[in-house]
Amino acid sequence: MKTFKVNGKEYKAKAFDFNLMCDLEDMGLSTADMASKPMAVMRAYFALCTGKGKEFAGKEIEQHLIKGGHFNDVLNVMSEEMEKSDFFRSLIKRAEEENGENQSKEK
């Protein structure tokens, strides 16, 4: 399992599987929010990696940035986990296909 550091502490990355997507939805976020709410998705993902909730995750990311860290320290791990997830890729593909079908019907 991949690990990453935020604010000098090491965390285990979570796979983008069905359970993680359900956890994100329980936190009020969906795949549609990935582009429109990137900071909220990043905080929620990090919260799930830490197991300590959104408030802790937000404060930890904030301190990480204040100390010279970068958003990419979390975003890169998220991207890697999304790219290697067969489940997540199939969700995105399905959504793209449905959007294409809906746009064709509207014309």
Side-chain angles (χ1 to χ4, degrees):
M1 179 144 300
K2 182 159 181 73
T3 61
F4 62 104
K5 284 190 176 185
V6 170
N7 200 22
K9 299 172 195 139
E10 194 164 303
Y11 298 96
K12 291 181 182 177
K14 290 255 188 193
F16 266 79
D17 59 10
F18 181 74
N19 286 322
L20 184 111
M21 295 305 297
C22 289
D23 290 340
L24 288 173
E25 284 187 358
D26 287 345
M27 296 169 101
L29 299 165
S30 69
T31 53
D33 295 321
M34 299 271 174
S36 64
K37 298 181 180 180
M39 292 175 91
V41 172
M42 178 181 60
R43 182 183 68 165
Y45 175 76
F46 184 59
L48 293 170
C49 290
T50 68
K52 295 184 180 182
K54 292 189 296 186
E55 185 69 25
F56 172 84
K59 294 290 184 190
E60 197 73 357
I61 291 170
E62 182 177 310
Q63 287 304 306
H64 180 69
L65 295 171
I66 289 170
K67 293 177 181 177
H70 301 279
F71 284 121
N72 284 346
D73 298 331
V74 178
L75 292 173
N76 288 343
V77 171
M78 280 179 51
S79 293
E80 288 175 28
E81 292 300 321
M82 288 179 204
E83 287 174 18
K84 71 181 187 182
S85 169
D86 292 336
F87 173 74
F88 185 77
R89 285 192 323 240
S90 71
L91 280 181
I92 298 302
K93 183 179 178 185
R94 185 169 293 139
E96 289 170 350
E97 288 170 353
E98 288 174 3
N99 281 341
E101 288 175 12
N102 289 339
Q103 288 178 357
S104 293
K105 289 178 185 176
E106 289 175 5
K107 292 179 181 179

